[in-house]
Amino acid sequence: MSEQAIGVFDSGLGGLTAVKELIKVLPQENIVYFGDTARVPYGTRSDKTIKAYARQDADFLLSKGVKLIIAACGTVSSVATELYDALPVPFTGVVVPTATAAIRATKNGKIGIIGTPATVNSSSYKTEILKRNERIKVYQQACPLFVPLVENGFISADDPIVKLTVERYLSEMKGEGIDTLILGCTHFPIIAQAISDYLGKNVTLIDSGKETALYAANILGSAGLLNTSNTLGSCTYYVSDTVDGFRRTAEVFLGRNVEYEVTHINIEKVSSGLRAKS
Ligand code: DGL
């Protein structure tokens, strides 16, 4: 069992920020990643569509025999919460680990949350924070333009478009005096520098990908599912749009040049095939 892979999915490439951390924390684990690059973004879609896509993505990973599934996507984690009970293997999204880390980090009790419109409308992070500490003040802001900026490679902290967009979305929150900001979408760590430059170094940024990787390690540990082999694990990547597009941008997310196998799949076809079999 322990040599089975960890399945990770996102609407696109953002989930690779979680994969990067998983490789650091659990280097011996095999990872199967699915990025739904043909249907990104999810964050501006209806709950019904997000739930349907999330189920197809999870079913695809199940067909690869994974032992744990991580929705490395703030949007799916916030909206498709039924996955917690629906899957035959352990599952985690990014909301609980990230909210918990933000509560640990804040000193003045003022936490900002940024995410996609679907995530912010769901108030998922806010609910998890207030469940644990109702005295914390929470400020939320949807930042839909961050996702296409990142997916199209506008990521430099010096880029005027990035700077302007960050300022436009975060000026109100900056005025509220938050000391902690949840990057509630896994695409956002890629522009963390621009966000930090604008908010100042006294604001701690919480990276949902990173916190979730640590949380997943705990789940596997407690379930006795850690891969105990001494060899480095492999990473296999699947995308629903072009493989070339993935190769060009993946390095930015993974933070290093990696050897990897990338395969294109038609997620709708694959998942309807899976449904027909079950
Ligand atoms: N990476 C996804 C998330 O964490 C957002 C991108 C999208 O809108 O699909 O919410």
Side-chain angles (χ1 to χ4, degrees):
M1 178 69 165
S2 64
E3 284 181 13
Q4 287 175 276
I6 299 172
V8 183
F9 74 93
D10 179 41
S11 57
L13 300 178
L16 294 177
T17 55
V19 170
K20 180 179 166 192
E21 297 301 325
L22 269 179
I23 294 170
K24 267 193 219 156
V25 183
L26 299 170
Q28 72 286 7
E29 294 291 342
N30 299 310
I31 297 171
V32 178
Y33 182 83
F34 173 59
D36 198 0
T37 49
R39 303 191 295 195
V40 67
Y42 283 11
T44 46
R45 297 183 193 273
S46 68
D47 285 9
K48 188 169 171 229
T49 302
I50 295 165
K51 285 170 187 282
Y53 286 179
R55 185 63 218 216
Q56 289 176 348
D57 302 345
D59 281 347
F60 169 67
L61 290 175
L62 286 173
S63 75
K64 297 289 161 198
V66 298
K67 61 183 172 184
L68 163 77
I69 291 182
I70 302 175
C73 174
T75 305
V76 167
S77 313
S78 299
V79 174
T81 47
E82 67 282 0
L83 287 182
Y84 277 94
D85 296 321
L87 301 179
V89 297
F91 167 81
T92 183
V94 297
V95 174
V96 170
T98 311
T100 317
I103 295 169
R104 271 199 312 270
T106 186
K107 294 198 172 60
N108 72 1
K110 291 184 178 182
I111 298 177
I113 298 160
I114 55 175
T116 63
T119 296
V120 168
N121 288 340
S122 77
S123 282
S124 56
Y125 288 101
K126 182 175 173 182
T127 307
E128 289 301 331
I129 289 170
L130 296 181
K131 220 192 262 175
R132 290 165 175 79
N133 184 342
E134 60 186 18
R135 289 197 314 261
I136 289 180
K137 289 215 158 34
V138 175
Y139 306 89
Q140 302 194 89
Q141 174 66 51
C143 304
L145 290 177
F146 284 175
V147 174
L149 279 178
V150 168
E151 288 273 333
N152 288 288
F154 291 89
I155 55 172
S156 163
D158 298 324
D159 189 317
I161 300 179
V162 177
K163 281 178 142 171
L164 194 66
T165 316
V166 166
E167 185 183 341
R168 180 66 69 88
Y169 283 138
L170 299 185
S171 61
E172 211 170 299
M173 212 172 254
K174 188 173 180 177
E176 299 292 353
I178 57 163
D179 73 349
T180 303
L181 178 68
I182 289 181
L183 305 178
C185 166
T186 49
H187 279 69
F188 297 178
I190 302 298
I191 51 165
Q193 191 57 54
I195 294 171
S196 181
D197 287 352
Y198 178 68
L199 292 177
K201 58 178 181 336
N202 292 335
V203 177
T204 305
L205 304 187
I206 310 290
D207 175 336
S208 51
K210 183 171 172 182
E211 297 305 330
T212 306
L214 296 169
Y215 190 78
N218 278 334
I219 296 182
L220 289 178
S222 342
L225 291 175
L226 284 168
N227 187 339
T228 47
S229 92
N230 289 328
T231 49
L232 286 180
S234 66
C235 292
T236 314
Y237 301 92
Y238 293 88
V239 287
S240 52
D241 202 57
T242 67
V243 165
D244 282 352
F246 177 87
R247 283 196 197 280
R248 266 198 307 277
T249 327
E251 231 173 272
V252 171
F253 284 85
L254 290 167
R256 59 180 185 157
N257 194 344
V258 278
E259 287 297 312
Y260 45 72
E261 197 186 309
V262 192
T263 307
H264 171 264
I265 57 156
N266 180 333
I267 184 68
E268 302 207 342
K269 225 173 169 177
V270 170
S271 54
S272 62
L274 291 170
R275 259 201 315 276
K277 265 191 228 156
S278 61

